[in-house]
Amino acid sequence: GAVVSQHPSWVICKSGTSVKIECRSLDFQATTMFWYRQFPKQSLMLMATSNEGSKATYEQGVEKDKFLINHASLTLSTLTVTSAHPEDSSFYICSAPRASGGETQYFGPGTRLLVL
Amino acid sequence: GDSVTQMEGPVTLSEEAFLTINCTYTATGYPSLFWYVQYPGEGLQLLLKATKADDKGSNKGFEATYRKETTSFHLEKGSVQVSDSAVYFCALSELGGGSNYKLTFGKGTLLTVNP
């Protein structure tokens, strides 16, 4: 099956700093990637859709200046949490459909962010 | 908007027991339905899916049938194994803005199978 990786798997940072999370499709090209956030005992909440070569599309209530998304190539999307605060601590997960417009998505293993 | 409600866990079973995890949904259109599984320390993996009413998805002994009349997609397995211990997510997929499908997830159900 398709493989999606994330880096780092775990990050701890001080309040006010910025953190970058990478999402890579390892054996396929992804024109679209999705970023989710998961709180403890909660479902995955879609944050934004990352589009290669164009601006990301953010879900309602997600601050685009807070969560910067860059989809610089067909295999890499990055999520930067800017000026992180403790309430940004969460589990961030990316996914990508193997084929453009495909319905089945392949998920990365997630990144645990802890902001002190 | 679309939503998915699934049975809250945790669920603890003995090996070879029968498993049911309930899932119901609300959607404006005709979604596809999925079960994803997350094993400890790993990312979500597609377990099975069904794309239209009365379809049955199956994989690794798990089954789920798309019931439009009851808006349900319950997950079942006749005899669970210790290796089935994981978090199970029910989800639906519909076309969002543009040409991309968007997934809406339930909260997940933690299953623990004891030997």
Side-chain angles (χ1 to χ4, degrees):
Chain A
V3 178
V4 175
S5 70
Q6 282 184 241
H7 177 79
S9 57
W10 174 269
V11 58
I12 302 174
C13 69
K14 293 182 179 180
S15 186
T17 60
S18 294
V19 175
K20 180 185 285 187
I21 302 169
E22 294 184 348
C23 177
R24 293 182 185 272
S25 55
L26 296 184
D27 57 350
F28 65 102
Q29 293 182 332
T31 55
T32 302
M33 290 182 173
F34 299 91
W35 286 97
Y36 296 85
R37 184 172 178 178
Q38 185 181 25
F39 294 99
K41 298 185 179 181
Q42 300 278 336
S43 62
L44 281 73
M45 300 298 295
L46 180 64
M47 298 173 65
T49 303
S50 173
N51 303 297
E52 190 270 337
S54 64
K55 291 182 179 180
T57 306
Y58 290 82
E59 296 300 301
Q60 193 172 8
V62 177
E63 299 176 59
K64 61 181 180 181
D65 295 329
K66 172 77 172 175
F67 299 100
L68 299 179
I69 290 173
N70 183 25
H71 198 142
S73 77
L74 288 171
T75 58
L76 174 63
S77 174
T78 59
L79 168 67
T80 301
V81 183
T82 62
S83 187
H85 288 93
E87 58 265 30
D88 299 324
S89 299
S90 192
F91 195 54
Y92 293 89
I93 303 172
C94 71
S95 73
R98 188 178 184 89
S100 179
E103 207 170 16
T104 299
Q105 294 187 27
Y106 296 89
F107 286 80
T111 297
R112 176 76 62 189
L113 170 63
L114 177 61
V115 184
L116 301 177
Chain B
D2 298 346
S3 67
V4 175
T5 302
Q6 69 179 95
M7 176 176 151
E8 293 204 21
V11 174
T12 303
L13 296 173
S14 297
E15 208 165 20
E16 300 184 1
F18 183 84
L19 168 70
T20 299
I21 301 178
N22 290 336
C23 172
T24 57
Y25 68 91
T26 58
T28 53
Y30 301 94
S32 294
L33 301 175
F34 301 80
W35 277 99
Y36 280 87
V37 58
Q38 186 175 30
Y39 297 105
E42 299 183 15
L44 275 75
Q45 302 174 23
L46 177 66
L47 180 60
L48 53 85
K49 71 176 186 180
T51 58
K52 61 183 187 297
D54 299 326
D55 268 3
K56 178 186 283 187
S58 61
N59 185 29
K60 298 182 180 180
F62 291 90
E63 292 184 340
T65 301
Y66 191 142
R67 301 286 188 199
K68 187 178 176 184
E69 63 276 14
T70 55
T71 62
S72 65
F73 193 55
H74 305 322
L75 182 68
E76 295 182 338
K77 185 173 185 180
S79 176
V80 294
Q81 304 300 312
V82 172
S83 57
D84 294 327
S85 298
V87 180
Y88 292 82
F89 292 91
C90 184
L92 67 81
S93 174
E94 280 201 295
L95 269 176
S99 59
N100 293 314
Y101 285 93
K102 289 188 176 181
L103 282 172
T104 300
F105 285 90
K107 290 187 177 182
T109 302
L110 172 63
L111 170 67
T112 302
V113 180
N114 296 317

